[in-house]
Amino acid sequence: DAFDICNHPLNKGDLTPFVEMFLNLVDISMKQLYDEIKDKLIRFHVIANSDSDEDQAVKLLVRDEVIDYINVQLKDATGIDEARDILKDNIEEVNNIAVNILRENGFDYEANTMISNENFPDKVYGDYLFPQGNYEAFRIIIGNGEGHNWWCVLYPSLCFADALEPSMTEEGEEKLQQVLDEDAYDLLLHPQKLKIRFRLEFFLRNR
């Protein structure tokens, strides 16, 4: 019945060609939403030298100083292209900030700041699930870059220096809603619910 189809417990090899086609269309729709999410965000990652207590602690000091600086630079950015240009213009300054924090705290290794496209796994951000995908990211790699990283969404500006874990504020929710369409935003909050809704809609339209 429709409920079984929506939950997709069957093997595709056992499905009729029509149902298989309908499930493929749902997958395409979901991929389009995933692409919209990753193409409208810039992430921020600070990767520690190692997982030692000292390296993890200085990573957070770097994070705090850089977020305080970069949030000011991005406050008037009107779109992702402008935000990207601002970040590129500030790579050297951000790297200097990171290195200065390292030196002030007795560390002699370097930092490497860059914008790159990286594949990230599913990541929870407060109540939101950011899907696995190839995201644009502003990254600071400290020393060997072999420790755990701290991350947030840099554009739209959802980074807060005092957050131990990524968290979403009411202001952050409004910013996400401004850059994503309704279905893409719902996907972050309710990925399984949205997938079931799509499957029902396709099924009811084509039965």
Side-chain angles (χ1 to χ4, degrees):
D1 60 20
F3 180 79
D4 288 334
I5 292 174
C6 290
N7 283 281
H8 193 185
L10 301 175
N11 240 319
K12 279 194 175 182
D14 300 329
L15 300 174
T16 65
F18 166 75
V19 175
E20 185 173 341
M21 177 189 69
F22 132 72
L23 290 174
N24 286 335
L25 288 173
V26 172
D27 289 341
I28 291 170
S29 295
M30 296 295 289
K31 183 182 183 304
Q32 290 171 340
L33 290 181
Y34 286 135
D35 288 343
E36 179 186 344
I37 291 169
K38 68 182 182 60
D39 290 344
K40 291 188 176 180
L41 305 176
I42 299 176
R43 295 167 60 141
F44 176 50
H45 289 253
V46 186
I47 301 98
N49 177 64
S50 76
D51 282 333
S52 73
D53 291 343
E54 296 82 3
D55 284 343
Q56 287 295 313
V58 79
K59 172 193 76 176
L60 298 181
L61 294 177
V62 169
R63 172 204 69 179
D64 292 352
E65 288 293 322
V66 170
I67 287 178
D68 285 346
Y69 173 79
I70 212 66
N71 277 345
V72 173
Q73 308 306 310
L74 290 176
K75 66 182 177 65
D76 295 323
T78 57
I80 191 170
D81 292 333
E82 184 178 357
R84 182 185 302 112
D85 289 341
I86 292 170
L87 293 172
K88 287 180 179 178
D89 290 342
N90 282 277
I91 285 177
E92 184 176 351
E93 180 60 28
V94 167
N95 206 71
N96 289 338
I97 291 171
V99 171
N100 287 340
I101 293 296
L102 293 173
R103 298 296 178 268
E104 288 171 6
N105 288 274
F107 296 90
D108 61 2
Y109 44 66
E110 297 300 321
N112 187 17
T113 302
M114 68 191 73
I115 296 180
S116 59
N117 287 285
E118 304 290 334
N119 190 57
F120 296 107
D122 289 347
K123 284 285 189 178
V124 174
Y125 196 101
D127 294 329
Y128 295 73
L129 175 65
F130 286 80
Q132 181 273 336
N134 196 46
Y135 289 81
E136 190 169 14
F138 190 66
R139 300 195 301 150
I140 302 174
I141 300 174
I142 301 174
N144 294 323
E146 296 175 350
H148 281 86
N149 83 126
W150 185 93
W151 81 284
C152 65
V153 176
L154 193 56
Y155 181 84
S157 181
L158 308 178
C159 292
F160 303 97
D162 59 353
L164 292 177
E165 297 292 338
S167 59
M168 190 71 68
T169 64
E170 186 174 337
E171 181 185 3
E173 293 174 359
E174 292 174 358
K175 289 178 179 178
L176 269 182
Q177 288 174 317
Q178 289 170 4
V179 300
L180 299 175
D181 72 23
E182 184 178 354
D183 283 339
Y185 180 78
D186 285 346
L187 180 59
L188 293 179
L189 270 177
H190 310 293
Q192 287 305 116
K193 180 180 175 181
L194 187 66
K195 193 167 188 176
I196 290 172
R197 195 197 87 194
F198 274 7
R199 289 176 174 177
L200 272 173
E201 288 176 354
F202 275 113
F203 178 73
L204 294 174
R205 279 204 303 266
N206 294 282
R207 64 178 179 172

